[in-house]
Amino acid sequence: MEKSKVLAELMNKNGIKKACIVDDANDRLPEYRDMTALAGEWDDFLDDMPQNESLVNAISKEIPSFDLESFSMEEMDDKFIKVLWELKDEYPNELSALFQSYESTKQSDLEYVQTLKDVLEENTFEVTTVGRDFESVALKSDVIFIDLFLHLDQTEGNLKYSTEILKEIIAKRTDSPPIIILVSRSPRLADHAEYFRDECGIIESGFRIYKKVDLKNKNKLIFSIKKLLESYQDSIKVWKFLYAWEEHANKAVSETVSSLKKLDLLDHNMVHNLLLDDEGQSSASYFMDLFDSLLLHSFESQTDIIDAAKSLNSIDFSKTPTIQGLQKEPLQDLVFKSAFMGAERCLLNDTTSIELGDVFKLSEDTGNTNEFLQEEADVDSVWLVITPSCDLIRCGIKNIGLLKGVLKQVNHDNWITDTKTSTPIIKIYGAAYSVKWDIKSFMTYPKENLQQLLKDGIYFRVAKMREVNALGLQQNFTSDYSRVGQRAILPSVFKTPRLSQYPAQSIS
């Protein structure tokens, strides 16, 4: 099947028809922010103006408040640039240098716009070209090609201008967010792409970056559009779930806070006296756990979030979308946060407290202490507490159960996926590591000794694993440790070697 027919079928299937090309080259008039980089040209222009009374009068006619003697760069605005632009043909010697760079860049960009427009129209798109005032056109478009910088100044404020408008467009199209393709001649295109995507609130499978020079390669452009359309419906399902989650997060928080406000100081006091005193657990840690559970319950009770989540079951994962500039950092960060508590949460407990899921690491400054736990470890290893919480809290246990883990720095090539005896990622001082847990090297260590090491700074807590993850490793250890060895059963059939010989035939 021809490529054009494949693309046409995908367009019909997804209801994709309209495309718009947003580029400041499509604007008739320049603006002040297109001219801010011309410091030298402006100095020459202002120095020469007193000798040109005719030009001064022409400007004053359009801007009555114009005063040459007091005029400065700070007074320049879009209106002033518009007046000069409309006078440039009448005063070419005075104004051509000011607009030379702008006109050259605009002409080059218009060629790219026309090339892109021709390719899209050849493939049955309805194409509209528009400049900086693009909201009304983009709001009705299925695919938006937008220039990275819509002014020649290429500043952060320029980026914010386009992202703010796109955010409004996407917020108004929650059921059918547009595909956005960011184009530019700037060498900083890739550097700004992540900021642009995050600010606009779009997911990567509905987003591409494209160099203007590459627009001349028609086959490459159509291939990119085709891949976007192939995953369009699944991308929308993910986007709708994220939008629903974000939209109703405040509602879940409000419901939780409303419920928690019913607990007065008296209730906190009763919980502490009746429960926490006996448990030996801090009030802060206990109530944080309790409030987390209530907040999670509120999220799970949001109908719109659940309905949006159901649609994720219908995503076709047999077709992996082509992602431009795929990065693993967001996924790694997600895995880390799901497996470990926030670092600030660990500060609720004393330095010497020990709980299930605590991960301890040997300090680089170990002193001269000859503790066994030091001799068994090095800077590339950590210890995980797997002693049950109830034993740590209630039983006054004397020895702590520890699993040893070996750290390995994580990069794009060695990120492990085995989670049975490994933790894919842990972050220590901002650096990412994986941890290989030695399930067979379980050891116990005196609680008082470990607390002393923590107090002296020989060991320190680097992270606290969430309870469900710590329990998983605990169960892996216990199931492996409690295995019963069995005598091998004798086979019912034995292999026996056999040698066969045949008499040689005589040859007559």
Side-chain angles (χ1 to χ4, degrees):
M1 186 180 293
E2 296 179 5
K3 293 182 180 179
S4 58
K5 290 183 179 179
V6 173
L7 181 59
E9 287 185 1
L10 287 170
M11 290 171 64
N12 291 331
K13 176 183 177 182
N14 293 290
I16 301 293
K17 187 175 182 181
K18 296 181 179 181
C20 72
I21 304 172
V22 182
D23 197 301
D24 53 307
N26 297 319
D27 286 315
R28 187 179 70 85
L29 299 172
E31 294 183 358
Y32 172 65
R33 280 190 287 178
D34 296 319
M35 318 294 290
T36 54
L38 307 176
E41 290 84 348
W42 280 117
D43 289 340
D44 294 341
F45 172 72
L46 294 175
D47 290 342
D48 294 341
M49 276 190 68
Q51 284 76 44
N52 196 322
E53 185 177 353
S54 176
L55 176 58
V56 172
N57 291 335
I59 296 174
S60 299
K61 182 179 179 180
E62 298 297 328
I63 307 176
S65 61
F66 177 71
D67 184 357
L68 178 60
E69 294 184 2
S70 62
F71 186 77
S72 64
M73 288 286 292
E74 287 72 22
E75 296 180 63
M76 291 185 186
D77 55 17
D78 291 343
K79 183 178 180 181
F80 184 77
I81 298 299
K82 177 183 177 182
V83 170
L84 294 184
W85 176 260
E86 292 175 344
L87 291 172
K88 66 182 176 64
D89 293 334
E90 188 176 346
Y91 298 92
N93 294 332
E94 293 83 354
L95 299 175
S96 60
L98 279 177
F99 294 105
Q100 183 177 5
S101 177
Y102 170 77
E103 291 185 295
S104 175
T105 302
K106 178 177 180 177
Q107 182 58 41
S108 177
D109 284 345
L110 282 175
E111 293 176 5
Y112 284 123
V113 169
Q114 189 60 49
T115 299
L116 176 58
K117 186 172 184 289
D118 292 342
V119 174
L120 294 174
E121 288 181 337
E122 286 174 7
N123 288 273
T124 71
F125 278 96
E126 294 179 9
V127 185
T128 304
T129 58
V130 65
R132 286 175 276 247
D133 186 15
F134 65 91
E135 182 174 359
S136 59
V137 173
L139 190 60
K140 302 174 184 177
S141 300
D142 305 310
V143 183
I144 301 173
F145 290 84
I146 184 168
D147 194 8
L148 173 63
F149 295 106
L150 293 179
H151 295 88
L152 290 188
D153 63 359
Q154 299 193 357
T155 61
E156 293 297 325
N158 197 339
L159 278 176
K160 291 180 180 178
Y161 172 82
S162 53
T163 55
E164 288 300 319
I165 296 176
L166 280 173
K167 282 171 67 175
E168 294 181 10
I169 292 172
I170 292 170
K172 294 176 182 178
R173 294 182 53 179
T174 57
D175 291 330
S176 58
I179 292 172
I180 296 178
I181 301 175
L182 187 65
V183 296
S184 180
R185 66 170 69 252
S186 171
R188 296 185 292 165
L189 175 61
D191 296 335
H192 290 298
E194 185 174 353
Y195 166 85
F196 191 92
R197 187 192 70 188
D198 291 345
E199 286 295 307
C200 292
I202 49 181
I203 62 176
E204 191 169 0
S205 55
F207 174 75
R208 285 291 186 278
I209 61 174
Y210 223 91
K211 295 179 180 178
K212 285 188 174 181
V213 68
D214 291 337
L215 293 173
K216 295 180 180 180
N217 188 332
K218 296 182 180 181
N219 291 331
K220 183 178 179 181
L221 176 61
I222 294 304
F223 175 81
S224 295
I225 296 174
K226 184 170 73 72
K227 296 303 292 183
L228 284 167
L229 295 186
E230 285 177 350
S231 58
Y232 180 69
Q233 293 298 331
D234 289 338
S235 296
I236 287 182
K237 293 171 186 176
V238 173
W239 190 88
K240 283 184 175 181
F241 171 68
L242 295 174
Y243 180 82
W245 201 95
E246 180 183 16
E247 185 76 6
H248 296 278
N250 289 335
K251 183 179 179 182
V253 172
S254 297
E255 291 177 356
T256 304
V257 171
S258 177
S259 176
L260 293 174
K261 283 182 176 179
K262 296 175 183 178
L263 294 176
D264 206 343
L265 182 58
L266 177 62
D267 299 299
H268 284 252
N269 189 63
M270 291 179 65
V271 170
H272 183 83
N273 290 333
L274 296 177
L275 177 64
L276 298 182
D277 271 352
D278 293 336
E279 294 284 336
Q281 188 177 5
S282 73
S283 299
S285 180
Y286 179 82
F287 279 105
M288 283 291 291
D289 290 339
L290 177 63
F291 292 1
D292 284 349
S293 300
L294 293 176
L295 182 58
L296 180 60
H297 180 87
S298 295
F299 271 102
E300 294 166 344
S301 301
Q302 301 299 315
T303 304
D304 291 320
I305 294 178
I306 300 304
D307 289 343
K310 288 179 181 177
S311 65
L312 300 179
N313 292 329
S314 60
I315 291 179
D316 183 4
F317 291 107
S318 63
K319 297 181 179 179
T320 304
T322 301
I323 304 299
Q324 191 171 19
L326 176 65
Q327 298 293 324
K328 287 187 177 179
E329 282 85 354
L331 181 57
Q332 291 174 348
D333 192 52
L334 178 67
V335 173
F336 169 68
K337 291 178 179 178
S338 66
F340 293 91
M341 294 183 179
E344 289 74 13
R345 176 70 173 271
C346 298
L347 300 177
L348 290 175
N349 297 327
D350 294 334
T351 303
T352 58
S353 68
I354 300 172
E355 296 182 352
L356 172 68
D358 280 338
V359 181
F360 297 114
K361 188 176 186 299
L362 185 66
S363 173
E364 293 182 1
D365 182 18
T366 58
N368 297 317
T369 307
N370 294 317
E371 284 282 352
F372 174 73
L373 198 61
Q374 284 181 248
E375 297 174 358
E376 284 293 305
D378 53 46
V379 293
D380 294 325
S381 61
V382 290
W383 296 97
L384 171 68
V385 177
I386 61 170
T387 299
S389 297
C390 54
D391 289 346
L392 289 169
I393 294 173
R394 302 188 187 116
C395 299
I397 193 169
K398 294 182 178 181
N399 294 316
I400 305 296
L402 299 171
L403 277 185
K404 184 179 180 180
V406 179
L407 298 174
K408 185 177 182 180
Q409 190 125 18
V410 170
N411 56 48
H412 295 307
D413 300 324
N414 69 352
W415 193 27
I416 61 176
T417 56
D418 170 29
T419 57
K420 185 175 181 180
T421 59
S422 301
T423 296
I425 185 167
I426 183 173
K427 292 187 177 180
I428 303 175
Y429 294 139
Y433 302 88
S434 61
V435 188
K436 179 67 176 178
W437 301 106
D438 189 351
I439 298 296
K440 296 184 181 296
S441 68
F442 170 78
M443 66 171 288
T444 60
Y445 191 76
K447 181 179 179 181
E448 291 185 357
N449 290 18
L450 179 55
Q451 288 178 322
Q452 189 62 47
L453 290 175
L454 294 171
K455 184 178 180 180
D456 294 340
I458 305 300
Y459 268 89
F460 64 101
R461 184 188 294 105
V462 294
K464 184 174 179 61
M465 191 175 285
R466 297 193 184 279
E467 186 177 49
V468 64
N469 299 86
L471 289 174
L473 285 169
Q474 181 194 77
Q475 294 305 304
N476 284 337
F477 159 71
T478 54
S479 62
D480 184 83
Y481 189 76
S482 61
R483 285 184 297 122
V484 177
Q486 294 182 343
R487 183 173 56 246
I489 300 175
L490 292 174
S492 58
V493 178
F494 294 89
K495 292 182 179 180
T496 303
R498 186 181 66 176
L499 177 64
S500 299
Q501 293 182 342
Y502 298 91
Q505 287 184 336
S506 59
I507 301 176
S508 60

